C-alpha cells in the first residue's frame, strides 16, 4: 500500500481539520464553499494539471468528509453549503462505505512488466529461461516482453541479476484482495460494492486520491456539539497513535467533548473468554478448526466470498459489540456509544449488528483534536481505573495478539494449535479458498485482514513500527515527544 506519509494524506488532514473548525465555530454553512480556495490558493504550484482540478478534488474530499456518496449524488452546480445543510439536518446513509472520485482517477495503464535500460543482454538470460509462456525474446541484445503472451507471474523480475525488469501495477486493483476494484469502459476506477469487503486497502493505495471513504464523523460531532452523553469506546490500537500516554489520550478525548471513555480491550476480554470456551469445545468433540471473528473485513470476506467458513468462525461477538453492551450497563441505556479505531469496516459491522451509534477513525479523532487545539502530550493524565483484568487484551491490536489472549484463557494452552493470518492479500485469499477441500491442521486460526494487525488499519495515523515503539507509554516515566506537527 501507499506510504502513510505523503502529500495527499497531509492535505486530507488539513481539509478535515479546517472543516471541523468551521463546524465547531458555527460557520460551516457560511464559509465551507471558500475552503477549496483557501487550501489551494491561486499562487500555489499545482501537483495536478492545474489549481482548478486541485480545488475540485478538495471539494470532493469535503463531500466525502460530510458522508456524501459522490458516485451517486455529485452535482457540480450544487454548492457545498447545500450539502452541509442537508448533512446537518439528516445523517446520510452509511453504506456503501467507499466512493470513487472520477475526476481524480488518472486511468492507470494495465498491470504490466517492462524491461528497463538496465538490461545488459547477459549471456545467462535467466528471464527467458524461466518464463513459463516464452514471452521474452532478445532483439539487438535487449530483452523484450510480448504483452500478448505475458501472464504477469513476475518470474522474470525475480531472476534478473540487474533488476532490469520493472513491475508497473494498478495500485488500487493490486491492493484489493477480492477483485472488487476495476476500471470501467472509460478507464475510470469503479468499485463493485457487492464484492467489496470494506477493508479500505484501495483507498490507502491510490496515489491520486480517487477512492475515498464516506466519513462517519459528522453524526458523531453533531452529538458532541448537542451535548449528548457520548461514550468513546477506544480500540486497543489507539495506544501509540498519538503523543503521550494512554491516560493522556483519555484526557484529551474527554476534553474534546466525550462524556466518558471505555477501553474496547474490556470487551475484548469477553470475546477472548467466549472463543476460549468454543475452541476447547470444538477440539474435544473433533469438530476441526475455528477462526476468530473480531475482524469485520474478514467477516465480510466470509459472507461474500468464503461462505464455507460461516460454520467455522467463532460465535462470539466482536470486542466492539461487547464493549457497547458494557458501556450501557455502566453508564445507562440513554448513552450514545461511539467506536474510535483504525478500521473502516467497523462501520459496516455497526450497521449489521446494531448497538453502536457511531464509528470514527484515529485520523478523524486527530482532526477533532487539531480543530479544538488539543495537544495530547500537554494533557494531564486521566485515571484509567483498574485495568488488570483486561490489560493483556490490548494486544488484540497486533498480529497473534488475539490468539495469545484466547490461549491464556484455555485450560491447556499447549494443546491448542494456532495459525495467524497476518494480512489478507490476493495470494492469501487464494490460499484460504483451498481450505474448503483441504482443512488446515490447526485448532484456532486468527485472521486479520491488515498486515501487522489493527496497527496498520486504514484509519491509523502512524506507521505500525512507530506505533509499536510508542505503545506501553503508561509505564514510561515521561510521555513521548509530541508529534503534533505530523498529525
Amino acid at each position: 500500500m501507499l506510504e502513510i506519509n505523503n502529500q495527499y494524506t497531509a492535505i486530507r488532514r488539513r481539509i478535515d481539520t479546517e472543516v471541523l473548525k468551521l463546524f465547531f465555530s458555527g460557520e460551516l454553512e457560511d464559509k465551507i464553499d471558500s475552503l477549496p480556495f483557501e487550501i489551494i490558493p491561486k499562487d500555489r504550484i499545482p501537483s495536478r494539471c492545474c489549481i482548478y482540478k486541485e480545488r475540485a478534488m478538495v471539494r470532493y474530499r469535503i463531500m466525502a468528509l460530510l458522508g456524501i456518496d459522490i458516485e451517486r449524488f455529485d452535482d457540480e452546480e450544487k454548492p457545498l453549503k447545500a450539502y452541509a445543510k442537508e448533512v446537518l439536518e439528516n445523517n446520510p446513509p452509511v453504506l456503501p462505505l467507499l466512493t470513487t472520485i472520477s475526476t481524480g482517477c488518472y486511468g492507470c495503464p494495465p498491470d504490466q512488466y517492462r524491461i528497463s535500460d538496465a538490461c545488459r543482454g547477459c549471456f545467462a538470460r535467466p528471464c527467458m529461461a524461466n518464463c513459463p509462456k516464452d514471452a521474452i525474446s532478445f532483439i539487438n541484445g535487449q530483452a523484450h516482453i510480448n504483452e500478448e503472451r505475458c501472464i504477469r507471474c513476475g518470474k522474470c523480475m525475480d531472476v534478473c541479476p540487474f533488476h532490469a525488469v520493472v513491475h508497473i501495477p494498478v495500485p488500487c486493483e493490486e491492493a484489493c484482495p477480492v477483485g472488487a476494484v476495476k476500471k470501467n469502459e472509460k478507464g475510470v476506477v469503479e468499485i463493485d460494492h457487492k464484492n467489496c469487503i470494506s477493508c479500505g486497502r484501495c483507498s490507502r493505495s491510490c496515489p491520486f486520491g480517487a477512492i475515498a471513504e464516506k466519513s462517519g464523523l459528522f453524526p458523531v460531532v453533531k452529538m458532541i456539539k448537542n451535548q449528548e452523553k457520548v461514550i468513546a469506546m477506544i480500540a486497543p490500537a489507539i495506544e501509540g497513535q498519538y503523543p503521550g500516554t494512554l491516560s493522556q489520550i483519555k484526557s484529551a478525548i474527554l476534553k474534546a467533548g466525550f462524556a466518558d471513555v471505555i477501553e474496547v480491550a474490556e470487551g475484548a476480554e469477553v470475546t477472548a473468554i467466549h472463543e476460549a470456551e468454543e475452541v476447547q469445545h470444538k477440539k474435544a468433540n473433533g469438530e476441526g478448526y475455528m477462526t476468530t471473528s473480531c475482524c469485520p473485513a474478514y467477516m465480510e470476506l466470509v459472507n461474500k466470498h468464503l461462505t464455507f467458513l460461516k460454520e467455522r468462525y467463532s460465535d462470539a461477538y466482536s470486542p466492539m459489540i461487547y464493549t457497547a453492551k458494557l458501556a450501557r450497563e455502566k453508564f445507562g441505556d440513554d448513552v450514545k456509544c461511539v467506536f474510535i479505531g483504525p478500521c473502516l469496516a467497523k462501520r459496516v459491522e455497526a450497521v449489521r449488528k446494531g448497538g453502536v451509534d457511531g464509528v470514527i477513525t484515529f485520523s478523524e479523532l486527530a482532526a477533532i483534536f487539531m480543530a479544538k487545539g488539543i495537544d495530547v502530550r500537554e494533557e494531564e493524565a486521566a485515571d484509567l481505573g483498574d485495568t488488570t483484568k483486561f490489560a493483556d487484551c490490548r494486544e488484540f491490536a497486533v498480529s497473534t495478539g488475539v490468539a495469545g489472549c484466547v490461549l491464556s484463557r484455555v485450560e491447556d494452552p499447549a494443546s491448542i494449535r494456532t495459525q495467524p493470518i497476518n494480512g489478507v492479500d490476493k495470494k492469501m485469499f487464494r490460499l484460504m479458498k483451498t481450505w474448503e477441500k483441504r482443512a488446515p491442521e490447526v485448532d484456532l486460526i486468527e485472521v486479520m485482514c491488515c498486515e501487522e494487525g489493527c496497527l496498520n488499519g486504514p484509519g491509523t495515523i502512524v506507521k505500525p513500527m512507530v506505533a509499536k515503539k510508542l505503545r506501553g507509554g503508561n509505564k514510561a516515566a515521561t510521555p513521548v515527544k509530541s508529534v503534533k506537527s505530523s498529525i
Side-chain angles (χ1 to χ4, degrees), residues 263 266 330 383-391 394:
E263 288 192 57
E266 193 169 345
K330 183 177 182 180
D383 182 16
L384 294 176
D386 184 7
T387 64
T388 307
K389 188 178 179 182
F390 58 83
R394 290 172 181 155

Side-chain angles (χ1 to χ4, degrees), residues 97-233:
L97 187 63
L98 294 165
T99 185
T100 58
I101 305 172
S102 59
T103 301
C105 181
Y106 274 63
C108 300
D111 183 282
Q112 58 190 287
Y113 287 83
R114 288 186 180 177
I115 307 295
S116 71
D117 292 340
C119 177
R120 306 293 294 166
C122 65
F123 178 76
R125 300 186 176 179
C127 56
M128 185 170 68
N130 288 277
C131 179
K133 294 296 181 179
D134 294 326
I136 296 179
S137 58
F138 277 76
I139 302 175
N140 297 326
Q142 186 109 19
H144 290 266
I145 297 176
N146 184 337
E147 291 293 336
E148 293 182 359
R149 305 189 71 171
C150 178
I151 59 172
R152 296 167 183 82
C153 64
K155 288 186 177 180
C156 54
M157 184 176 69
D158 294 338
V159 299
C160 178
F162 296 103
H163 305 289
V165 184
V166 181
H167 179 212
I168 305 176
V170 180
C172 58
E173 291 183 5
E174 182 184 47
C176 180
V178 296
V181 180
K182 296 185 182 298
K183 288 182 288 185
N184 60 22
E185 64 278 359
K186 296 180 180 179
V188 177
V189 64
E190 282 187 348
I191 297 174
D192 180 356
H193 295 293
K194 291 182 179 179
N195 288 319
C196 175
I197 61 172
S198 302
C199 63
R201 294 171 68 100
C202 57
S203 64
R204 276 278 296 272
S205 299
C206 178
F208 297 106
I211 302 177
E213 71 278 6
K214 288 163 46 187
S215 174
L217 186 56
F218 265 82
V220 174
V221 293
K222 284 195 297 180
M223 288 188 285
I224 292 174
K225 193 173 183 181
N226 292 336
Q227 296 184 331
E228 296 184 52
K229 193 174 181 180
V230 184
I231 307 300
M233 305 187 300

